[in-house]
Amino acid sequence: MGKIIAIANQKGGVGKTTTSVNLAASLGVLEKKVLLIDADPQANATSGLGIDVESVEQGTYQLLEHTVGARESIIETTSPNVSLIPAHIDLVAIEIELVDKEQREYMLKNAIADLKNDYDFILIDCAPSLGLLTLNALTAADSVMIPIQCEYFALEGLGKLLNTIKSVQKIHNESLDIEGLLLTMYDSRLRLSNQVVEEVKKHFDEMVFETIIQRNVRLSEAPSYGESIISYDAGSKGANNYLSLANELIEKNA
């Protein structure tokens, strides 16, 4: 049975989508069967895997509305072993449309329940908010991975996210675990980066992944070509970091 991991942080620009796309591609290369669900109206995970967002007719929006089944909304990508449920800007309307529905926090969980046996890992790229979309992802997930940028405001808002996770555990999903905190955009030349790493490890200890994602130009370039870092430049530091993270995740869940 597969594991569902939500990749979440309400702060924008911390590397959620970069992690979702490149971790999925890395797991795929390591011969794990992966489904990536784009649950962000910006649809960057969709375009980052080379899918034209404008051409998306069935995706996360229709899935949450229950107008299509999960298997009908899956498309294949050029990344080996990686499938995708894409997003489109229309996903922005879902929070308003679900607001008066019963069991609205369980829409995603119910929609993808049958898919767990089909994949080794199901990754959910969350929107940079703690709204209904992210709540649906956390309710559907077995665990949550939290990317944290190695910069000054890194820990700001983390308490809020951890409180949200506690609420979800209490009310909607008591088996939700924290998969780990992932340090991203690390620059070893900056004293600040090193201070943030120290601080996070001091406070959260074993919850922090050993792998640290370093700042890497190739990582920033890859999405503009609609490719993961694995297909764009497999020899880059970014590719090595994400392969290392994928190996760590596989070992952790062995």
Side-chain angles (χ1 to χ4, degrees):
M1 186 179 274
K3 184 168 198 184
I4 303 174
I5 302 173
I7 297 170
N9 189 331
Q10 79 273 24
K11 272 179 77 65
V14 297
K16 283 187 297 293
T17 301
T18 301
T19 295
S20 302
V21 168
N22 294 310
L23 178 57
S26 301
L27 288 165
V29 163
L30 296 171
E31 299 187 341
K32 296 294 175 189
K33 206 170 174 218
V34 185
L35 173 66
L36 176 57
I37 300 173
D38 192 346
D40 183 351
Q42 294 174 80
N44 291 336
T46 300
S47 59
L49 280 170
I51 308 299
D52 174 19
V53 174
E54 292 306 315
S55 70
V56 171
E57 289 175 6
Q58 295 183 160
T60 318
Y61 176 72
Q62 288 77 14
L63 185 67
L64 287 165
E65 271 200 322
H66 294 303
T67 53
V68 297
R71 287 190 176 82
E72 296 162 65
S73 53
I74 293 171
I75 55 178
E76 296 310 316
T77 72
T78 53
S79 281
N81 299 316
V82 178
S83 306
L84 173 74
I85 295 181
H88 184 275
I89 189 65
D90 58 8
L91 187 57
V92 85
I94 202 74
E95 304 223 349
I96 299 158
E97 289 175 24
L98 290 182
V99 88
D100 56 354
K101 295 263 171 78
E102 276 185 41
Q103 300 273 296
R104 58 183 179 268
E105 297 89 354
Y106 297 87
M107 294 298 184
L108 184 60
K109 185 186 178 94
N110 296 337
I112 63 173
D114 293 346
L115 297 178
K116 271 190 102 167
N117 293 327
D118 298 355
Y119 296 92
D120 297 304
F121 291 97
I122 297 175
L123 305 180
I124 308 173
D125 182 33
C126 295
S129 77
L130 293 177
L132 200 46
L133 268 172
T134 300
L135 198 53
N136 261 271
L138 294 175
T139 303
D142 298 308
S143 67
V144 54
M145 182 184 289
I146 305 169
I148 297 177
Q149 195 176 358
C150 291
E151 289 194 358
Y152 182 67
F153 292 115
L155 298 174
E156 192 189 64
L158 184 58
K160 210 174 188 179
L161 177 60
L162 294 173
N163 284 336
T164 300
I165 291 167
K166 272 185 197 151
S167 301
V168 172
Q169 286 168 329
K170 209 178 287 180
I171 305 164
H172 305 297
N173 182 3
E174 60 182 25
S175 59
L176 180 67
D177 276 333
I178 293 178
E179 190 68 41
L181 277 63
L182 175 68
L183 291 156
T184 63
M185 303 181 195
Y186 172 73
D187 187 339
S188 58
R189 297 165 302 177
L190 299 179
R191 193 169 67 182
L192 182 61
S193 273
N194 293 304
Q195 283 173 339
V196 172
V197 171
E198 268 176 49
E199 199 72 10
V200 172
K201 287 192 168 176
K202 187 171 82 184
H203 281 90
F204 299 100
D205 194 26
E206 288 177 6
M207 281 166 66
V208 186
F209 280 102
E210 287 291 318
T211 304
I212 295 176
I213 309 299
Q214 294 166 287
R215 249 185 212 289
N216 181 240
V217 175
R218 308 299 272 169
L219 262 182
S220 312
E221 290 172 353
S224 60
Y225 292 91
E227 293 183 29
S228 72
I229 191 63
I230 304 299
S231 51
Y232 181 64
D233 186 352
S236 67
K237 198 182 280 180
N240 287 330
N241 287 168
Y242 276 108
L243 283 166
S244 166
L245 177 65
N247 274 311
E248 195 176 339
L249 190 65
I250 291 165
E251 276 174 36
K252 201 173 177 184
N253 289 286

